[in-house]
Amino acid sequence: MGHILRGPVLEGASVRLEPLDRRHAADLAVAAEEDRGSYRFTWVPTAAEVDGYIDAQLARAAAGAIAPYAQVDRTSGRAVGATAYLEPRPWPDGEGLCAIEVGYTWLAASAQGTGVNTEAKYLLFRHAFEDWGVARLDLKTDARNSRSRAAIEAVGARFEGVLRNWSRSWAPGEDGRLRDSAVFSITAEEWPARRAGLERRIARNLERRRPATAAPGPDGASSVR
């Protein structure tokens, strides 16, 4: 029996990854419209397109092609973006997963740079390696997207090269054209070291997000530290 691609709820300290559902539509519509300036090479639905986007992702999930998620900020309880497992590849005997890709990722402008992406990737990677037992995890982005490439390298993935004319371009004005895709990966052998590095980054991010506490000053008054 082959592996059935189903993503469970993945719980972190700052983000909860919930299987994508139509209940996330209102939050995602708001998130997608905050500031679209960072979406130059990534297709992100507009508010008017969110319902159709969710329906399309759920149809792909029903066909076993992807396991889509909403990224939910635990502080606000609101969905601030989306991500997914995709391109499941079975072992030669057809039992279980040999490899998986993480993609279809986007975040609201206000969630970018907050540590949400780092922890979400950690949760997805950990589940893939430690629960599904994959030997390899892939990430891809438009080769021109330097911001995305830097973010992928920052979570521990190794750059492998560029696949020319590999997939559809999402850049404005490039409908019907193909893009070059930069390919990154993490292998099972690399995962323990990558896990440790991600856990250190998550701890630092959580420390930065922790509210300042009041401490007594030298005259007995409160001072913020």
Side-chain angles (χ1 to χ4, degrees):
M1 179 179 177
H3 184 93
I4 299 174
L5 190 62
R6 292 199 182 104
V9 173
L10 300 175
E11 194 89 34
S14 60
V15 64
R16 182 172 61 253
L17 299 182
E18 299 178 356
L20 185 65
D21 188 87
R22 291 181 180 88
R23 73 178 184 278
H24 297 118
D27 285 352
L28 292 179
V30 173
E33 295 293 346
E34 282 188 0
D35 179 356
R36 300 183 63 84
S38 64
Y39 302 147
R40 181 181 173 192
F41 296 108
T42 302
W43 184 80
V44 175
T46 63
E49 294 169 329
V50 162
D51 287 338
Y53 162 78
I54 292 176
D55 287 345
Q57 292 293 72
L58 294 181
R60 295 184 183 104
I66 68 170
Y69 281 100
Q71 302 191 63
V72 178
D73 181 89
R74 292 197 58 189
T75 300
S76 67
R78 297 180 64 86
V80 294
T83 190
Y85 289 117
L86 62 148
E87 298 292 337
R89 301 194 294 286
W91 289 98
D93 63 6
E95 293 294 327
L97 282 178
C98 172
I100 194 75
E101 182 175 343
V102 169
Y104 289 123
T105 301
W106 60 272
L107 279 172
S110 62
Q112 296 174 25
T114 65
V116 167
N117 178 66
T118 298
E119 189 169 37
K121 291 294 193 297
Y122 168 77
L123 295 171
L124 292 165
F125 296 173
R126 186 180 66 182
H127 183 74
F129 285 114
E130 299 180 15
D131 293 292
W132 286 342
V134 301
R136 172 189 171 92
L137 187 141
D138 300 334
L139 301 101
K140 299 188 185 78
T141 190
D142 191 306
R144 299 167 294 180
N145 192 341
S146 58
R147 181 174 181 173
S148 178
R149 291 176 65 158
I152 292 172
E153 290 183 329
V155 295
R158 178 181 295 184
F159 174 61
E160 294 188 328
V162 173
L163 298 174
R164 296 178 298 166
N165 287 349
W166 180 251
S167 61
R168 176 180 177 178
S169 173
W170 297 107
E174 294 186 0
D175 290 349
R177 294 175 58 183
L178 297 174
R179 76 177 195 189
D180 294 347
S181 293
V183 181
F184 300 78
S185 72
I186 300 173
T187 66
E189 293 78 13
E190 295 167 337
W191 170 239
R194 301 300 188 270
R195 173 175 177 156
L198 285 167
E199 287 174 348
R200 288 191 294 270
R201 285 192 64 195
I202 291 166
R204 290 195 298 269
N205 288 334
L206 290 174
E207 183 64 28
R208 284 196 293 268
R209 292 182 68 173
R210 187 170 293 130
T213 57
D219 58 355
S222 293
S223 59
V224 176
R225 64 179 180 185

